[in-house]
Amino acid sequence: EEFGDEWGNKWMMHLRWYSSSSALSSEVFARRAAAEFCSGSPDADAMTAVAKSFKERMQQRSFTVGSNSTTAPIIEKSYMETLQLLEKHLSDRPFLFGQSPALADFGLSGQLLQCFGDVLAGELMRMHAPRVALWCEVMAN
């Protein structure tokens, strides 16, 4: 649970906001957040301004998860290695410790579910770890 909450947050935040490949992910998420913030408002210009402001604010906060040019390859490699390990692990069981979810499933799935919903991290998961993507969907329900 601690690993998922602390290190999983690095994957999600880095791949959503700070990766050299995350431009589309950050744009999509900023617009999603703005749509929620401006719920019920038909003002498209206001929503665009909120999305821009939110994206700029988040992109200035990479230090909060330790994302920088030195750590970026480590974070990205760790995400892919963890997906590969989980993909193999989930090949013969529906949950991390067997037939029903345990605290570890809940601790890890929260951050991985956020990754699953993002453009970059979600595409990597669906392409390289389809069982993990399915597990995320099951855990969400």
Side-chain angles (χ1 to χ4, degrees), residues 1-51:
E1 191 276 334
E2 186 70 14
F3 174 77
D5 188 47
E6 297 301 326
W7 195 254
N9 189 51
K10 290 181 187 313
W11 301 325
M12 184 270 297
M13 293 293 287
H14 174 78
L15 292 168
R16 178 180 290 169
W17 299 109
Y18 317 125
S19 166
S20 61
S21 304
S22 67
L24 182 58
S25 290
S26 62
E27 187 65 34
V28 168
F29 192 82
R31 292 202 57 79
R32 262 190 225 153
E36 289 185 28
F37 297 154
C38 299
S39 181
S41 172
D43 188 346
D45 291 336
M47 190 164 61
T48 299
V50 168

Side-chain angles (χ1 to χ4, degrees), residues 87-140:
E87 183 69 10
K88 183 176 179 184
H89 187 76
L90 293 170
S91 68
D92 62 353
R93 65 197 66 152
F95 299 100
L96 296 179
F97 290 109
Q99 297 303 310
S100 58
L103 183 60
D105 293 276
F106 292 105
L108 191 54
S109 67
Q111 298 300 338
L112 285 177
L113 185 59
Q114 288 296 309
C115 290
F116 176 70
D118 281 351
V119 178
L120 174 61
E123 182 177 326
L124 290 170
M125 184 185 297
R126 284 185 287 281
M127 285 175 47
H128 300 284
R131 285 184 189 99
V132 178
L134 180 60
W135 171 77
C136 283
E137 290 181 324
V138 169
M139 289 303 298

Side-chain angles (χ1 to χ4, degrees), residues 51-126:
K52 182 178 186 272
S53 174
F54 184 72
K55 180 179 172 183
E56 288 171 358
R57 178 176 180 265
M58 293 306 296
Q59 289 181 328
Q60 295 171 7
R61 302 186 56 76
S62 62
F63 68 92
T64 63
V65 295
S67 177
N68 57 51
S69 59
T70 302
T71 61
I74 297 165
I75 294 169
E76 293 168 14
K77 182 180 178 191
S78 169
Y79 178 68
M80 293 307 297
E81 286 176 347
T82 300
L83 288 180
Q84 291 167 350
L85 289 169
L86 285 171
E87 183 69 10
K88 183 176 179 184
H89 187 76
L90 293 170
S91 68
D92 62 353
R93 65 197 66 152
F95 299 100
L96 296 179
F97 290 109
Q99 297 303 310
S100 58
L103 183 60
D105 293 276
F106 292 105
L108 191 54
S109 67
Q111 298 300 338
L112 285 177
L113 185 59
Q114 288 296 309
C115 290
F116 176 70
D118 281 351
V119 178
L120 174 61
E123 182 177 326
L124 290 170
M125 184 185 297
R126 284 185 287 281

